[in-house]
Amino acid sequence: MRHTLPIAPQFYVTAPQPCPYLEGRMERKLFTALQGDYAEKLNDALSKQGFRRSQNVLYRPSCSECSACMSARIRVADFVPNKSQRRTLRRNTDLKRDATSPWATEDQFALFRRYLDSRHADGGMADMDIFEFAAMIEETPIRSRVVEYSRPPEAGERRHQLTAVCLTDVMDDGLSMVYSFYDPERATDSLGTYVVLDHIAIAREAGLPFVYLGYWVPGSRKMGYKARFSGLEIYRDGDWRPIGDPESYSADPHPLSVDPIAEQVARISLPDTRAPKV
């Protein structure tokens, strides 16, 4: 007997756990499975409503007393690099870009481990092994790419050396940067910023209006760099709006800042998955 998935996705809430962005806070996520024939439509629709993808799950923060995390995206047509970003582009002209299918490699994992050990040794991914890494890269039900950046070989090296990697989803209105990592020994080259700048260039070449960056969190040093990109929008109160002055936002929690889960789910707009009439 064939079992079919429910037409409407089911939404769930995770148990509270320590927030990775703001010390002393507890985070909670609203999530749903990303699977079936309409996975791409669901991913496109929910990404435009502040959700992010992790393997075959879509999620967004739904903390009980905090609404600091806001989904952020760059309007490609309105982006103009500042002086610092232009220097970053010049410093990394040696890098070669390759976009491949979402397959994990040993070189990627080695770079990923060096990146975590240097920058996020106490983070939630610190204990990830090669099998979990492969799942993060390869378990995707939608159109995804691994964008690799490699530097030319130096003396004694036979081939280009992997320097940065970004797992990227291709949506109907833009590129979503799911996760990126880079060589920690090139910290002064601002590789994280460079990968964002190159994704803006890729989106522009493809005629895609947005680059989705994940969450911007006022008060979080980890996420502060996102506010430095011109043309930045944030998703707040059910709508996308220009970020304006980043200093005007507060990360202070408030018991009335988050609506009940049932109200949040009721306001989610789902894609039309009805078969076309013939």
Side-chain angles (χ1 to χ4, degrees), residues 202 222 237:
I202 295 171
K222 290 181 182 178
D237 298 328

Side-chain angles (χ1 to χ4, degrees), residues 17-21 27 29 54-55 112-113 115-117 119-129 132-133 136 179 222:
Q17 57 186 0
C19 176
Y21 305 124
E27 73 163 359
K29 293 185 177 78
S54 177
Q55 294 173 231
F112 175 73
R113 286 303 334 166
Y115 172 78
L116 287 185
D117 293 344
R119 299 181 64 90
H120 302 286
D122 58 348
M125 293 182 170
D127 298 328
M128 185 179 287
D129 61 27
E132 293 167 320
F133 173 78
M136 179 181 77
Y179 191 77
K222 290 181 182 178

